[in-house]
Amino acid sequence: RPPQVHPPASSPVLELRDVTLRYKKRTILHRISLAATKGEVIGVVGHNGAGKTTFSRALCGLHKDCEGQFLWDGQAMERKNRLKRSYMVMQDVNYELFAESVEAECSFGIRNPDLTLAASTLEELGLAPYRERHPNTLSGGQKQRVAVAVSMICGKDLLVFDEPTSGLDFDSMTQVAGLIRRLSELGKVIFIVTHDFEFVCRTCSRVLHFDEGEMPVLCFRWKGEVVYETEENQSCSPAAPLGRGAKGMAVPGRASGDGRGPVHCGALY
């Protein structure tokens, strides 16, 4: 029998209510609503052009054409507030590394940086041996860690990773996965835009699937399985990862969170 769906252990810290996003007057996502608690790692998947990047930019306050409510701890969070609270690690992290050394990068553009915190963060992320190196001389995984170190030193609570494993080898991918888990333990709210199925399995507790301007699939993952809460039988299979192609298996006696239908489960492996 598949595992039961359990409600979040704590109240939501981030909420989106009826959020609609437009780009060049075209609706990209329509009336999206969700809630996230501290420590959640949420994958964002969907085909190219489904709205994943627009959604992630809106979370960070980088996209202007938005309707609906963004809330943090129950308080409205306007675009400027989202800019202050969030940090995006871009797909090409080279675009956000500017300083001449890793150590300088950790205080670049930060008013009154906490140098003690910067030093301890470099130690925690295994970057202390490279503190005098130019960021461009580091590997892809090390550059990712530098960008994350900056977010931690800035005290950002909402982190968005855009294709964090793009171009990384397996060892670097597993290192980034470990880093994501560490950030989750620190209580960060994390969104990961990715096409990397294995990375989702290693890191995400929940997955949002965007399709045709909507969010028709909400699924949760436990130990090699994905459980969907949707109107239809949605499931996941190696042939159609995080898609809709396979037949689902209903969990007996369990209704979805909004009462629309049963929870369905499909094996990841």
Side-chain angles (χ1 to χ4, degrees), residues 3-9 220 222 254:
Q4 294 285 324
V5 176
H6 298 286
F220 300 82
W222 287 271
R254 173 68 191 181

Side-chain angles (χ1 to χ4, degrees), residues 1-4 6 197 200-206 220-227 265-269:
R1 173 169 173 158
Q4 294 285 324
H6 298 286
F197 182 57
V200 167
C201 297
R202 288 175 176 268
T203 59
C204 297
S205 55
R206 183 151 53 120
F220 300 82
R221 180 184 63 81
W222 287 271
K223 298 179 181 178
E225 292 183 328
V226 163
V227 177
C265 169
L268 284 179
Y269 301 110

Side-chain angles (χ1 to χ4, degrees), residues 41-56:
V41 182
I42 301 173
V44 180
V45 305
H47 61 79
N48 291 334
K52 303 186 301 296
T53 298
T54 303
F55 173 76
S56 61

Side-chain angles (χ1 to χ4, degrees), residues 70 100 132 135 137 140 150 205 216 219:
F70 294 80
E100 295 298 315
E132 296 181 3
T137 66
V150 174
S205 55
C219 59

